[in-house]
Amino acid sequence: MRTPFVAGNWKMNKTVAEARDLVSVMGKELNKIENIDIVLCPPFISILAIANLLQDTKIGVGAQNIHWEEKGAFTGEVSPSMVKEFCNYVIIGHSERRSYFGETNETVNKKVHAAIKNGLTPIVCIGETLEENKAGRTSEVVSSQTLEGLKGIDAATAAGIVVAYEPVWAIGTGLAATADDAQNVHKNIVRKSLTDLFGEDAAQKIRILYGGSVNAANAADYFTREDIDGALVGGASLKTEDFVAIAKAASK
Ligand code: 13P
């Protein structure tokens, strides 16, 4: 049995003061929910404040990115060991980083290794664009993102990572994938690729999240599917009522 997992990706939203206000309310509600792993991923600048607010709770804190190097002349970047002081998780290879900041399967793989080396659990994002989807290339794109992004990890370590399938056309558009379509990708493309990489045992332990226009109304349907182990939530993670409802649905 895989423990359900719900993460909120705040993207570039909320000042530190706003982040504090949100989490002082949301954190209490989320902390009451049992049998689930919940993680909040605020912008770097709010991580310290949020980690302090959540320190006596079960709720985890994640970064939205890291560099793969430990330190050095990389202006504007943040290293895994810096993140590790306050976080247990890090989102890697989000489609917005791939499309706006030039991240590739190769840089994703370097970051995944750097995260693991520093004891951070990577939440590795994969997903096809609308164009790729329309061209019937979903399987090819998603399997190569999985195989290349996660190569070189040993099976025992891989069992603890988290993968998020986020079709790019579903992110922030309101056009969520159907639960059936997401289940199909999770089982037949993502978990199959994970099995090819790490073997059946480890692949069955890896949590695969769905992301893309998940909201309080549609969330429960995803979690009834066998290979949808939780959600990576953008917009709805910025609203207490919605994110709490999503986490509750996943915990059932
Ligand atoms: P939305 O939930 O806003 O569609 O964003 C999904 C996402 O990109 C989470 O990483």
Side-chain angles (χ1 to χ4, degrees), residues 144-211:
S144 66
Q145 286 174 336
T146 309
L147 295 170
E148 290 172 34
L150 298 179
K151 71 182 174 202
I153 306 172
D154 68 83
T157 308
I161 70 173
V162 178
V163 175
Y165 169 59
E166 301 204 302
V168 179
W169 46 268
I171 295 177
T173 58
L175 297 170
T178 66
D180 283 341
D181 285 348
Q183 162 62 19
N184 179 41
V185 173
H186 283 216
K187 179 174 191 226
N188 298 313
I189 306 174
V190 184
R191 207 172 301 282
K192 184 185 175 303
S193 301
L194 295 171
T195 306
D196 292 346
L197 273 173
F198 306 121
E200 177 78 18
D201 236 38
Q204 285 299 329
K205 292 188 177 130
I206 297 174
R207 279 150 326 158
I208 307 175
L209 318 180
Y210 167 74

Side-chain angles (χ1 to χ4, degrees), residues 94-170:
H94 191 279
S95 68
E96 287 146 20
R97 299 227 43 99
R98 293 179 191 253
S99 60
Y100 305 139
F101 303 103
E103 296 203 12
T104 62
N105 292 338
E106 193 186 343
T107 60
V108 167
N109 186 248
K110 285 187 188 180
K111 292 180 179 200
V112 168
H113 279 274
I116 289 169
K117 197 172 149 205
N118 282 278
L120 290 162
T121 297
I123 302 169
V124 184
C125 300
I126 54 181
E128 82 286 2
T129 63
L130 182 61
E131 204 178 30
E132 289 161 345
N133 182 285
K134 282 190 170 157
R137 295 183 54 220
T138 299
S139 178
E140 169 207 333
V141 170
V142 172
S143 61
S144 66
Q145 286 174 336
T146 309
L147 295 170
E148 290 172 34
L150 298 179
K151 71 182 174 202
I153 306 172
D154 68 83
T157 308
I161 70 173
V162 178
V163 175
Y165 169 59
E166 301 204 302
V168 179
W169 46 268

Side-chain angles (χ1 to χ4, degrees), residues 16-75:
V16 178
E18 290 166 347
R20 270 205 200 98
D21 287 349
L22 178 63
V23 172
S24 37
V25 178
M26 182 190 278
K28 290 194 186 82
E29 295 302 311
L30 292 174
N31 198 40
K32 292 181 201 156
I33 308 172
E34 305 281 344
N35 306 317
I36 185 170
D37 292 331
I38 301 174
V39 178
L40 300 182
C41 303
F44 282 126
I45 198 158
S46 293
I47 283 176
L48 171 58
I50 298 312
N52 281 336
L53 279 174
L54 295 177
Q55 68 182 348
D56 296 321
T57 73
K58 301 171 294 194
I59 303 159
V61 182
Q64 298 173 16
N65 181 33
I66 46 169
H67 197 275
W68 57 82
E69 293 289 349
E70 271 314 309
K71 60 179 175 180
F74 301 100
T75 301

